Amino acid sequence: MGMSMNSIPPSPNSARIMIYCVGLRPLMNHRKIKKLLVANRGEIALRVLRSAKEMGIQTVAVYSEADRHALHVRFADESICIGPPPSAESYLRREKIIAAAKATGADAIHPGYGFLSENEDFAQEVIDAGLLFIGPPPEAIRIMGNKIAAKNAAAKFKVPLVPGTSEPITDIPEAKKLAKQIGYPVLIKASAGGGGKGMRVVNRDEEFEEQMERAVSEATSAFGDGSVFIEKYVTQPRHIEFQILGDQHGNIVHLFERECSIQRRHQKVIEEAPSSILTPELRTQMGEAAVNAARSCGYFNAGTVEFILDEKMNFYFLEMNTRLQVEHPVTEQITGLDLVRLQIQIAEGEKLPFAQTDLHINGHAIEVRVYAEDPANNFLPDIGTLKTYRRPQGHGIRVDDGFEEGMAISFFYDPMIAKMICHAGSREAAIEKTIRAINDYQITGVETTLGFCRFVMEHPAFRSGKFDTKFVEQHFKPEFLKSAANDGDQELVAAALAATAFAERTTAGTLNEVSSTRSKWKQNRIK
Ligand code: ADP
């Protein structure tokens, strides 16, 4: 990489003064990154490292003792151990990560998603250490990290909100009065919420007190902050989010939407772009609202504005994720853009290389998340070793993963094995490609969400585009997967039994294991 393009020194004080003088926009950093540290693990660490390498940037991986042999460690030019396996002692230790950057001479940190990616203190400490943070300004993370602050900021920019309270509430009788005004059903949400925690649906006045107490106690134990607020509960909701990109010169564009309504436990499992139900007009309106939400907090870099869409096609702002999302590849496939490269260029101070009118949707992309989870057992994590692991291949198939055959899925971290993204000319073709690729994906040793994802791809409601976030509740029964195991393919069962070292797994529930192993072999064999 070349020399620094600009001689503005990275001074923490000048950055703060700039924030003070020009609102939320901090000092522009016109400097080329020479060495990048990725403060993450697994597929996203690899994803970021690859783009950095392509840009000629030197790369540094950090790892916990559990990840000594992980692929991201092998892939990076240098690596540094930051502590024991629990993330609280390694990937969440801000000072260790900054020390690792200093020790290796890195000049920038990319946080990936999860871990420290939405921690404004970390972002500020990175800047204060004279390093570039590949992400938004800390102030934007702070505003959007609190659901109430986020809603109030967005409201000032005329972004539509779900009807509800604009202040945190603790007083139960007062809250009950407001719930009545909003009209049941209502949703009680934790201000500091995330991951669907601290959220309670209340259908009737009589249930209110009990649910409110539960929401407060859940929020207190999960986030150390018991403040909650009330929203109208949108029935038949679709979760539609917009990818935005902003530079440090005030330009913000959106890269269209992602449909993320297929969820289990309020968490996404299948995403697609574009959504099958947005009209071009609605896409323009929602895109503009997303850009305004980003403006409302002085945003730059990549971010995602989440909306909920009701059955009458009214949309409401939910929250903004101030980082790269797990599902960003579907957007990359339909726009042909490398979001990580753009994130790096934005952090370096470059202008966005395109305007909104330059951007177009090309075809359709679907991502299925391959988790080591058992869909037949309420999607509980199923930790183990990948005895067989063969990725599907072919035109328009992208697999972002962090594993090889024989590697173990650690119970210390998220049980996602891979993301498989299929891109084709139309939604129908993308669905067909996804089914073919699922059938080609061979995984044994753990249960996975692959069979469940095929069930969704084949389901008439998904195919017709008429579905909402309750799809799993309404249409999925574990028996649909088990039945594949019960139609007796003796040869297959024998092969499965021979190939799976049962001794390594718990001996309890062997019968279930036999049938699920059969089902797995049927699901994943090459057709
Ligand atoms: P979290 O930050 O905990 O993930 P979100 O606000 O993003 O919480 O909501 C997660 C999911 O919960 C959404 O994708 C949607 O399915 C559902 N949800 C959130 N708010 C509402 C609402 N007002 N009405 C109906 N469903 C909602």
Side-chain angles (χ1 to χ4, degrees), residues 147 187 189 194-196 231-234 239 263 306 319:
K147 287 186 199 284
L187 190 62
K189 275 189 180 180
E231 256 179 24
K232 174 91 193 147
Y233 184 65
V234 178
H239 176 118
Q263 306 180 347
E306 298 189 338
E319 63 168 350

